Amino acid sequence: MAADTPGQDPAGEDARIASLEERIARAEHAEKVRQGATEQQADDGSRLGNRVLAELIGGLVGGALIGWVLDRLFDTSPWLLLVFLGLGIVAAFRNIIRLTTTKRPDQ
């Protein structure tokens, strides 16, 4: 009667099976992270995105503001505004490129 009931074999657990189950669990977790199925915390990606946006807006607004003030001061309307707006755009993109091409400490 005892031989008819399902259950574990009386022998000990095989180390190869335990190792296989552990590797499968790690692979499933890595696949979930790759597919975005698990929630990831806000890390350097969102911070970097916010920093890029701030650099872009800051360069445009800063260049336009400086150009507008100098246009009012020297009565050279719209030329200095356009020049400094262009310089602000160039500075913003230079900063964005510098931010995104530096290696992070975890790499």
Side-chain angles (χ1 to χ4, degrees):
M1 183 104 152
D4 295 335
T5 60
Q8 284 188 330
D9 290 339
E13 190 172 316
D14 191 6
R16 293 177 298 168
I17 293 175
S19 173
L20 178 63
E21 289 173 347
E22 181 182 327
R23 287 185 290 157
I24 289 172
R26 281 192 309 229
E28 286 175 348
H29 176 69
E31 183 65 20
K32 285 181 183 177
V33 169
R34 188 184 70 78
Q35 289 180 352
T38 61
E39 286 188 34
Q40 295 179 347
Q41 297 177 352
D43 57 353
D44 292 337
S46 62
R47 281 188 233 146
L48 181 63
N50 288 335
R51 179 85 189 266
V52 165
L53 182 63
E55 290 286 343
L56 186 60
I57 292 173
L60 290 170
V61 170
L65 185 65
I66 291 171
W68 181 76
V69 168
L70 290 177
D71 268 342
R72 294 287 182 167
L73 191 64
F74 296 122
D75 198 29
T76 57
S77 185
W79 296 110
L80 288 178
L81 172 68
L82 295 174
V83 167
F84 278 94
L85 184 62
L87 287 175
I89 291 170
V90 168
F93 277 105
R94 182 186 63 87
N95 289 339
I96 290 170
I97 291 170
R98 188 173 44 108
L99 277 174
T100 57
T101 57
T102 58
K103 289 202 179 256
R104 294 183 297 196
D106 63 338
Q107 289 183 343

